[in-house]
Amino acid sequence: PAEKPPGRQYSESDGAALRGEFGAILKEAGANFDDFQTWARQTGIIKDADAAASVDDLPIESLVRCVNARAGLVEQLKAAKGAA
């Protein structure tokens, strides 16, 4: 498969699909957006995570990172909720 060029531009339909996938990740982890924000702040994974009021406010690049790291993100969110 061809590599995605650096600095790829994402369309709004890409964003909608990524937000849907992100929502499925949260559901799989038994987490909500607040749980994600707490985890993102504690780990420093998503810069300015607290500035986002909802998944709609997250930058597309952050959503791409989260979706690409689905398995690890689910495990880390589950662990973070268990520790809370």
Side-chain angles (χ1 to χ4, degrees), residues 25-32 35 74 77-78 81:
I25 290 169
L26 292 182
K27 185 174 180 180
E28 184 178 340
N32 60 33
D35 297 326
V74 167
L77 286 171
K78 283 182 179 178
K81 278 196 64 81

Side-chain angles (χ1 to χ4, degrees), residues 25-47:
I25 290 169
L26 292 182
K27 185 174 180 180
E28 184 178 340
N32 60 33
F33 189 73
D34 289 340
D35 297 326
F36 169 77
Q37 281 185 302
T38 298
W39 171 84
R41 181 178 58 251
Q42 290 172 345
T43 61
I45 294 292
I46 306 292
K47 186 178 179 197

Side-chain angles (χ1 to χ4, degrees), residues 60-80:
I60 296 265
E61 293 76 17
S62 296
L63 291 170
V64 169
R65 286 180 61 200
C66 291
V67 168
N68 287 340
R70 181 182 188 124
L73 180 56
V74 167
E75 290 306 311
Q76 289 187 37
L77 286 171
K78 283 182 179 178

Side-chain angles (χ1 to χ4, degrees), residues 7-27:
R8 177 174 178 219
Q9 297 298 309
Y10 293 93
S11 70
E12 188 50 43
S13 62
D14 291 331
L18 287 163
R19 286 189 290 275
E21 191 66 24
F22 181 81
I25 290 169
L26 292 182
K27 185 174 180 180

